[in-house]
């Protein structure tokens, strides 16, 4: 009799364990693991997507806080969304965010996905040196306007004081401006975003041999990309050896083999007057910002740590205003538009 009871108890235990295992397998989604895997696979297939994700979190969180507003194609109130803003030229990563959202379902906000994806892109592109944690739990907004994005996002033609004010409005210091601008060690830019640097009437100091090499390369890129507004690589470190030699680029202290890496090479380029944007160069006009850039140029680890800390702060910018917040079913439309 005792034997039968033991057997029954064992069977019940097995059934219970099997049931719980089935339950948790169905309910448990490894959110951060899924984002990380998708981001890494995407970058392996297309390295440019990593830079796009690092920029995307900045453009989302700066405008209305981290609320996925940059992802919307339309809103209940109508009008152009942030994607149409002039300052959002070249913004990318939307298809990958859609893919990740599809895998994660309705319990994870699009805003969280943007933050996690940028974090994982930064980690991957820095060879694991840029590792940081960010909280989850953001909600998605229902407001998105191109005019607001153009009023709030900084422009590449800004003066130093405008950049400082822009960052101060979001609670970021001048040091954090210098630190976060180091993201321009990766990615690309359209000619229209740095054209002012090449026109005699608007040019700000730029190394002449670099400028000549750029002008020549732009003509080649116009033909190969078949557009009057081609893209160029942001970082001279990522250009060909010939381009670097023609530009007189001093590679001392730069890992030139690490093309596409998120690292402190931006400071080497900027302190040599070999960067694309006026907004990058203009930081040299302030002695404290210049000293900070020299420090980051000479101390890669310090920049890794400080950049990670600034990205955490950026990723925590709270959603603004009193508009309704939700977890979107589709990152491109609000739930109201999803249903109707
Ligand atoms: C300080 C003010 C900033 C200005 C004025 C600025 C401006 C720009 C511009 C004009 C582009 C090129 C867009 C194009 O023509 O396609 C660009 C690209 C980029 N920016 Fe910034 N940016 C700033 C700060 C930041 C910050 C804080 C981050 C991230 C933390 C960032 C990350 C990037 C990245 C990764 C790219 C390359 C994107 C790609 O290749 O898809 N930028 N930025």
């Amino acid at each position: 009799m005792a034997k039968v009871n033991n057997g029954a108890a064992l069977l019940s235990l097995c059934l219970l364990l099997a049931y719980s295992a089935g339950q948790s397998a169905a309910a448990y989604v490894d959110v951060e693991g899924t984002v990380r895997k998708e981001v890494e696979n995407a970058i392996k297939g297309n390295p440019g997507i990593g830079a796009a994700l690092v920029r995307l979190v900045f453009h989302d969180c700066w405008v209305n806080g981290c609320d996925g507003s940059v992802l919307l194609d339309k809103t209940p109130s109508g009008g152009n969304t942030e994607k149409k803003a002039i300052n959002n030229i070249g913004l990318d990563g939307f298809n990958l965010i859609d893919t990740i959202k599809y895998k994660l379902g309705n319990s994870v906000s699009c805003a969280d996905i943007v933050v996690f994806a940028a974090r994982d892109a930064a980690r991957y592109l820095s060879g694991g040196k840029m590792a940081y944690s960010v909280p989850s739990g953001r909600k998605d907004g229902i407001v998105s306007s191109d005019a607001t994005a153009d009023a709030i996002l900084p422009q590449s033609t800004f003066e130093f004081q405008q950049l400082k004010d822009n960052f101060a409005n979001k609670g970021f210091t001048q040091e954090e401006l210098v630190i976060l601008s180091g993201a321009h060690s990766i990615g690309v830019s359209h000619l229209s975003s740095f054209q002012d640097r090449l026109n005699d009437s608007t040019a700000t100091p730029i190394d002449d041999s670099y400028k000549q090499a750029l002008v020549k390369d732009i003509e080649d890129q116009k033909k190969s990309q078949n557009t009057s507004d081609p893209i160029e690589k942001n970082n001279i470190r990522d250009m060909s050896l010939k381009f670097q030699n023609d530009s007189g680029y001093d590679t001392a202290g730069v890992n030139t083999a690490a093309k596409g890496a998120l690292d402190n090479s931006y400071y080497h380029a900027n302190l040599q007057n070999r960067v694309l944007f006026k907004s990058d160069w203009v930081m040299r006009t302030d002695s404290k910002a210049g000293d900070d850039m020299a420090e980051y140029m000479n101390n890669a680890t310090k920049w890794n740590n400080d950049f990670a800390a600034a990205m955490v702060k950026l990723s925590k910018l709270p959603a603004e205003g009193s508009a309704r917040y939700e977890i979107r079913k589709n990152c491109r439309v609000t739930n109201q538009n999803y249903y109707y």
Side-chain angles (χ1 to χ4, degrees):
M1 197 61 189
K3 223 176 170 181
V4 172
N5 274 349
N6 277 348
L10 194 62
L11 183 65
S12 309
L13 185 66
C14 288
L15 285 173
L16 185 69
L17 285 175
Y19 175 74
S20 332
Q23 280 288 90
S24 48
Y28 180 70
V29 182
D30 177 9
V31 174
E32 298 203 26
T34 303
V35 177
R36 182 176 178 165
K37 195 172 115 229
E38 292 297 325
V39 166
E40 292 188 358
N41 285 342
I43 297 176
K44 281 175 200 157
N46 167 17
I49 201 77
L53 293 171
V54 172
R55 184 173 179 228
L56 191 64
V57 76
F58 174 50
H59 285 225
D60 188 33
C61 295
W62 222 239
V63 183
N64 307 332
C66 306
D67 68 344
S69 55
V70 76
L71 306 173
L72 288 169
D73 286 339
K74 60 176 181 173
T75 64
S77 60
N80 284 338
T81 59
E82 289 172 30
K83 280 180 182 174
K84 294 266 166 121
I86 295 164
N87 290 342
N88 277 332
I89 180 174
L91 209 62
D92 205 351
F94 305 110
N95 290 344
L96 177 60
I97 300 291
D98 287 343
T99 303
I100 297 172
K101 173 69 176 170
Y102 180 74
K103 299 213 161 179
L104 294 180
N106 290 342
S107 60
V108 183
S109 68
C110 302
D112 272 356
I113 295 173
V114 169
V115 165
F116 293 148
R119 185 266 309 270
D120 296 338
R123 177 170 45 207
Y124 190 81
L125 295 178
S126 65
K129 293 184 186 126
M130 194 76 68
Y132 56 87
S133 300
V134 278
S136 60
R138 289 163 203 78
K139 291 262 180 78
D140 299 320
I142 61 162
V143 174
S144 178
S145 130
D146 61 341
T148 307
D150 275 331
I152 291 177
L153 289 167
Q155 293 168 27
S156 59
T157 50
F158 270 10
E159 301 294 344
F160 185 64
Q161 190 60 46
Q162 290 175 294
L163 291 170
K164 266 177 68 168
D165 291 346
N166 184 279
F167 270 57
N169 282 340
K170 295 288 158 189
F172 282 65
T173 63
Q174 174 179 316
E175 288 75 25
E176 287 164 331
L177 164 67
V178 172
I179 292 162
L180 284 172
S181 295
H184 292 160
S185 68
I186 53 174
V188 295
S189 167
H190 286 82
L191 168 61
S192 52
S193 296
F194 61 92
Q195 180 76 66
D196 61 299
R197 301 265 283 154
L198 308 175
N199 295 350
D200 287 344
S201 59
T202 51
T204 35
I206 182 167
D207 177 83
D208 196 53
S209 47
Y210 172 59
K211 181 177 165 183
Q212 298 312 324
L214 257 183
V215 168
K216 182 176 177 311
D217 196 63
I218 286 163
E219 290 314 309
D220 295 343
Q221 296 301 331
K222 278 181 179 170
K223 286 181 202 130
S224 63
Q225 295 175 34
N226 195 22
T227 169
S228 59
D229 192 15
I231 53 169
E232 285 285 358
K233 296 186 172 94
N234 281 341
N235 193 341
I236 188 169
R237 182 264 330 260
D238 293 344
M239 300 298 277
S240 69
L241 186 60
K242 178 171 185 333
F243 182 98
Q244 292 176 356
N245 287 339
D246 288 351
S247 306
Y249 177 48
D250 179 359
T251 57
V254 178
N255 181 3
T256 48
K259 295 218 181 291
L262 180 63
D263 64 15
N264 66 336
S265 56
Y266 160 85
Y267 301 100
H268 289 81
N270 202 354
L271 292 171
Q272 293 181 43
N273 271 356
R274 289 174 175 84
V275 284
L276 295 183
F277 307 134
K278 173 182 170 184
S279 57
D280 289 325
W281 171 80
V282 85
M283 290 193 294
R284 298 189 48 169
T285 60
D286 180 84
S287 68
K288 170 75 174 66
D291 289 349
D292 287 344
M293 288 202 288
E295 191 178 10
Y296 289 121
M297 178 180 83
N298 293 317
N299 192 339
T301 306
K302 181 169 169 49
W303 183 71
N304 287 339
N305 293 339
D306 291 355
F307 184 79
M311 287 297 277
V312 172
K313 181 170 172 180
L314 177 64
S315 305
K316 286 183 179 171
L317 279 175
E320 295 167 10
S322 55
R324 180 165 58 83
Y325 283 94
E326 59 191 16
I327 294 184
R328 267 178 233 146
K329 296 177 191 302
N330 175 332
C331 292
R332 291 174 185 262
V333 289
T334 67
N335 288 345
Q336 184 182 336
N337 284 343
Y338 182 79
Y339 286 123
Y340 298 109

